[in-house]
Amino acid sequence: MFESIRKHSKFVMILLFLLIIPSFIFVGINQNYFTESSKTVARVDGHDITQQDWDNAHRMESDRLRAQNPNMDVKLLDSPEARYATLEKLVRNRVLAAAVKKLHLTTTDEQLVRTLQEIPAIAALRKPDGSLDAQAYKALVGSQGMTPEGFEANLRNELALNQVLGGISGTVFTTDAELKQAMDALYQRREVQVARFDAKAFADKVQPSEAELKAYYDAHTSRFQQPEEASVEYVQLDLAAVEAGITLSEDDLRTYYKENAERLAGPEERRASHILINAAKDAPAADRAKAKARAEEVLAKVRANPKGFAEVAKANSQDPGSAASGGDLGYFGRGAMVKPFEDAVFGMKEGEISDVIESDFGYHIIELTGIKKPKVPSFEEMRPKLEAELKMQQAQRKFAEMAEAFSNGVYEQSDSLQPVADKFKLTIHKVDHVTRQPSAGAQGPLANARFLEALFSKDSLENKRNTDAVELAPNSLAAGRVTQYSAARTLPMNEVGDKLKQLYVAQKSAELARQEGQSKLAVWKAKPDAAQLAAAVTVSRDQPQNLPREVVDAALSASTAALPSWVGVDLGSEGYAVVKVGRIVERPATDAQLLEQQRAQFVQWSSLAEVMAYYELLKKQLKVQIKVARP
């Protein structure tokens, strides 16, 4: 039972969230948010959920969502729909908790341990002997602001809650007849032939008169609305602008070269050979002492005959990767080896043999066999790179200083951007036809929704003042002002000549195409042999064969009581289509994998339906009462 619950619990909970939350975030807003002034907003199994409970839960939920999605619009989280979704979640948790209590569901120690072991982050903390690294485990849960006891208590509770709905989802099954009926809507294949009557083909037949255009304009004035727009100017302060104003002296460059030449040239690499005597760091002290003594003996042999290091390594080293090659590890840089080993290697002289070095792997005897120092390029060779690096460093420091002065400048002299442009040597960009929403292809500040929101604020539009400095991205600020504003308006007929004619012709062309298609459909139904259709193709909803979705849906929805079946499809402004459904194409009996995939999909749908039905039943049994109007 528990295995079934554990297997399906995540799926069930995720689907439950998907059903509850979007339904409240993306629906209309009801301004009558509260239906009563009581501090109790809901009651589950006789226990109240107070306004404070709700506020605290929503605050925590908002913090969690912002942490997961830093770019999320905070207005979405503050909406009545989002708040109501939090209340629904709070009610759901109370319902499940009450059900756990009434059904006497518990989580045993064995179930808890098994679940902990299946969490990858915790499984990775196992020691070589299979035991759990208690300190690492404590640090892991501590990073989440919890103690091991608190974490395990929460997990016990979650497992118990999952049993309420997991048992329902884990027992769903389906028969072949149910599967076929449900899945044929998606995967059934039908052979069709199509005749298209494209609206564009009838455009030349439409010759509108002035009166017809006037009548169309009067009936469709909403299509000739010009949105509000503004002419704006803006300045942008970013690292590129700051960097452009920096001039480096020759002395600065040469000093930077001297300080950084070796780093810019590349890292030094060293070649070493070693002899390893294995001793795990968690091995008993006696075993490690024995290994160290063995290493001292081997070191004595090496000291007696330094030139025979490779032979001693072949005979004694317990490193399977290097022993056969005399302990040679090749060239490596810093960071490639464990720290005690690296410190020893980079502190030795070429040809030197180390003392016994202890690491987590055991005891090493090291011979430094080579040092590879990259050639330091000349100052002239490095000049472009030096200038780029030094300018960037100075720009980053200078930007922090300039950002505050920039923000103060656009605020204090709010009637013009010229002073701040002169002070920081910035270009004033002027753009016409700017709208509240970023236009297609917009770049820079005008592609930023926050900047546009500031430009179209009441103060900016009415008083033509500078906006505050808006942070577009890290190390990038912009401020702007509206120089001219045009409110949304209906364009007069004499200003929409070309557009008016295009819309009228498009509509009439679609009507002519529809009439022609409907006429042909009636004729071809009566005389199928006279039909002029494209070659037959096999379509399904997952394989539409590049046909319009309306055509595929009509073909698969057509009655198959008597085949062939004829269907007319209105394609709107695109025209019309006549579809002949010839036959149902059976799927190959050998396609067992597809069948199993379909069965798994259907079981998921059925599982969700069963879970939601059981959840609604629990709410009725526990007499759940929500005292807040749904937005």
Side-chain angles (χ1 to χ4, degrees):
M1 177 68 174
F2 180 74
E3 288 297 324
S4 175
I5 293 169
R6 181 185 58 77
K7 181 178 180 181
H8 296 283
S9 61
K10 290 184 179 178
F11 163 73
V12 173
M13 302 307 282
I14 289 172
L15 288 178
L16 198 57
F17 271 102
L18 290 176
L19 280 183
I20 292 175
I21 294 178
S23 62
F24 302 118
I25 293 181
F26 299 108
V27 296
I29 298 177
N30 181 353
Q31 297 300 326
N32 298 321
Y33 196 72
F34 296 102
T35 58
E36 55 183 82
S37 59
S38 171
K39 292 184 179 180
T40 298
V41 295
R43 181 173 290 114
V44 178
D45 196 31
H47 299 283
D48 292 341
I49 296 176
T50 66
Q51 180 69 48
Q52 185 176 2
D53 294 333
W54 185 13
D55 291 341
N56 291 339
H58 187 66
R59 189 179 305 111
M60 294 174 62
E61 183 70 6
S62 298
D63 290 344
R64 182 184 67 82
L65 291 173
R66 278 195 294 266
Q68 292 179 349
N69 305 280
N71 297 323
M72 175 178 284
D73 186 354
V74 294
K75 292 181 180 178
L76 189 63
L77 297 175
D78 292 335
S79 67
E81 295 78 18
R83 287 184 55 81
Y84 192 87
T86 300
L87 179 60
E88 279 282 353
K89 181 180 177 182
L90 194 56
V91 169
R92 177 181 60 80
N93 289 341
R94 295 285 181 91
V95 168
L96 296 181
V100 166
K101 185 176 180 181
K102 288 184 180 293
L103 297 173
H104 305 290
L105 299 176
T106 60
T107 301
T108 66
D109 291 341
E110 292 77 10
Q111 292 168 346
L112 177 65
V113 170
R114 185 161 62 246
T115 303
L116 286 169
Q117 291 173 342
E118 291 171 355
I119 298 175
I122 294 177
L125 302 179
R126 291 180 182 173
K127 296 179 181 179
D129 62 0
S131 62
L132 182 68
D133 188 332
Q135 291 301 318
Y137 173 54
K138 184 176 181 180
L140 177 65
V141 298
S143 65
Q144 306 299 317
M146 303 177 71
T147 64
E149 294 77 12
F151 174 75
E152 290 165 12
N154 284 346
L155 186 57
R156 279 184 188 274
N157 182 58
E158 182 182 340
L159 291 173
L161 294 178
N162 289 347
Q163 289 183 61
V164 178
L165 299 178
I168 303 298
S169 67
T171 56
V172 171
F173 67 94
T174 179
T175 65
D176 289 342
E178 291 173 330
L179 173 65
K180 179 175 175 55
Q181 182 179 9
M183 303 309 294
D184 271 356
L186 280 181
Y187 296 106
Q188 188 182 80
R189 304 177 188 179
R190 296 187 180 184
E191 185 179 86
V192 302
Q193 290 177 274
V194 180
R196 290 283 299 269
F197 298 87
D198 292 328
K200 292 179 181 179
F202 295 82
D204 292 340
K205 298 181 181 180
V206 182
Q207 300 296 328
S209 66
E210 191 67 22
E212 288 172 329
L213 291 175
K214 178 67 167 62
Y216 182 88
Y217 172 82
D218 291 340
H220 301 88
T221 53
S222 62
R223 297 187 178 184
F224 305 102
Q225 290 285 324
Q226 177 176 289
E228 62 176 338
E229 62 179 29
S231 296
V232 305
E233 56 186 31
Y234 69 88
V235 290
Q236 183 176 1
L237 178 71
D238 56 15
L239 281 179
V242 176
E243 189 176 336
I246 294 175
T247 302
L248 300 175
S249 69
E250 190 73 8
D251 289 342
D252 289 340
L253 282 173
R254 290 192 177 277
T255 300
Y256 190 72
Y257 171 74
K258 292 177 182 178
E259 294 174 348
N260 295 275
E262 291 188 6
R263 175 183 63 82
L264 294 171
E268 174 186 314
E269 292 185 331
R270 295 198 168 199
R271 184 175 186 176
S273 297
H274 82 138
I275 300 169
L276 172 65
I277 305 300
N278 285 330
K281 67 175 183 177
D282 55 354
D287 291 348
R288 289 189 66 85
K290 184 177 179 181
K292 184 175 182 180
R294 171 64 180 154
E296 296 286 0
E297 292 176 5
V298 174
L299 177 60
K301 291 182 181 179
V302 171
R303 296 282 191 212
N305 181 22
K307 293 183 179 181
F309 187 96
E311 295 304 319
V312 176
K314 289 179 181 178
N316 296 275
S317 180
Q318 296 173 346
D319 177 7
S322 66
S325 58
D328 184 27
L329 298 171
Y331 279 99
F332 53 87
R334 288 189 178 274
M337 301 295 180
V338 292
K339 194 170 188 314
F341 191 98
E342 177 187 292
D343 290 345
V345 168
F346 281 86
M348 296 168 62
K349 297 178 181 178
E350 188 171 353
E352 186 179 355
I353 295 174
S354 72
D355 294 329
V356 173
I357 305 299
E358 181 179 1
S359 78
D360 291 347
F361 299 100
Y363 298 93
H364 309 261
I365 301 164
I366 306 169
E367 179 184 23
L368 184 61
T369 57
I371 298 176
K372 186 190 293 184
K373 289 188 176 181
K375 178 181 176 294
V376 178
S378 67
F379 173 76
E380 291 303 326
E381 291 174 324
M382 294 291 292
R383 179 185 283 273
K385 190 171 183 180
L386 293 170
E387 287 181 344
E389 275 201 13
L390 190 54
K391 272 192 174 185
M392 179 56 68
Q393 289 180 12
Q394 291 189 10
Q396 288 174 335
R397 289 194 296 267
K398 193 172 181 180
F399 180 87
E401 301 170 1
M402 295 172 66
E404 184 175 359
F406 176 84
S407 299
N408 292 337
V410 296
Y411 176 78
E412 292 168 356
Q413 295 175 291
S414 60
D415 58 344
S416 174
L417 293 173
Q418 195 64 52
V420 77
D422 293 340
K423 180 176 181 179
F424 297 106
K425 296 181 174 57
L426 302 175
T427 301
I428 297 179
H429 302 272
K430 299 182 179 182
V431 185
D432 296 325
H433 308 297
V434 176
T435 58
R436 278 185 188 268
Q437 301 300 323
S439 60
Q443 297 180 347
L446 297 182
N448 185 283
R450 288 182 58 209
F451 183 67
L452 291 174
E453 183 179 359
L455 277 174
F456 283 85
S457 67
K458 183 178 180 180
D459 185 52
S460 175
L461 294 179
E462 293 182 356
N463 302 313
K464 303 295 188 291
R465 290 176 180 161
N466 297 341
T467 68
D468 290 338
V470 176
E471 185 177 18
L472 306 176
N475 298 321
S476 180
L477 297 173
R481 62 189 302 269
V482 173
T483 57
Q484 187 174 351
Y485 172 73
S486 299
R489 65 189 180 100
T490 300
L491 296 173
M493 184 173 169
N494 62 349
E495 292 184 22
V496 295
D498 291 341
K499 181 180 180 181
L500 173 59
K501 185 175 181 179
Q502 290 172 3
L503 291 174
Y504 179 84
V505 170
Q507 177 177 299
K508 291 301 179 182
S509 298
E511 291 176 3
L512 292 176
R514 188 180 308 111
Q515 293 170 6
E516 180 72 9
Q518 290 172 343
S519 174
K520 293 294 185 183
L521 175 61
V523 172
W524 293 345
K525 277 185 176 181
K527 298 180 180 180
D529 293 340
Q532 299 173 355
L533 303 165
V537 293
T538 299
V539 300
S540 63
R541 285 193 169 86
D542 63 325
Q543 295 179 357
Q545 305 295 351
N546 295 320
L547 292 175
R549 175 54 61 185
E550 298 89 342
V551 170
V552 175
D553 288 343
L556 293 171
S557 301
S559 172
T560 57
L563 294 175
S565 178
W566 293 85
V567 184
V569 184
D570 190 344
L571 299 177
S573 62
E574 298 296 320
Y576 196 80
V578 174
V579 183
K580 175 186 176 183
V581 181
R583 65 189 180 93
I584 297 175
V585 180
E586 296 294 333
R587 292 192 298 274
T590 56
D591 200 351
Q593 183 178 4
L594 177 60
L595 182 63
E596 287 307 309
Q597 289 175 352
Q598 294 174 4
R599 186 184 301 277
Q601 180 67 66
F602 182 64
V603 168
Q604 287 183 354
W605 294 342
S606 301
S607 173
L608 177 59
E610 294 286 346
V611 164
M612 293 306 299
Y614 183 56
Y615 176 66
E616 291 301 321
L617 177 62
L618 285 175
K619 288 172 68 175
K620 290 180 180 179
Q621 291 176 344
L622 296 170
K623 298 180 180 179
V624 173
Q625 180 184 11
I626 300 179
K627 298 184 174 184
V628 175
R630 172 173 171 168

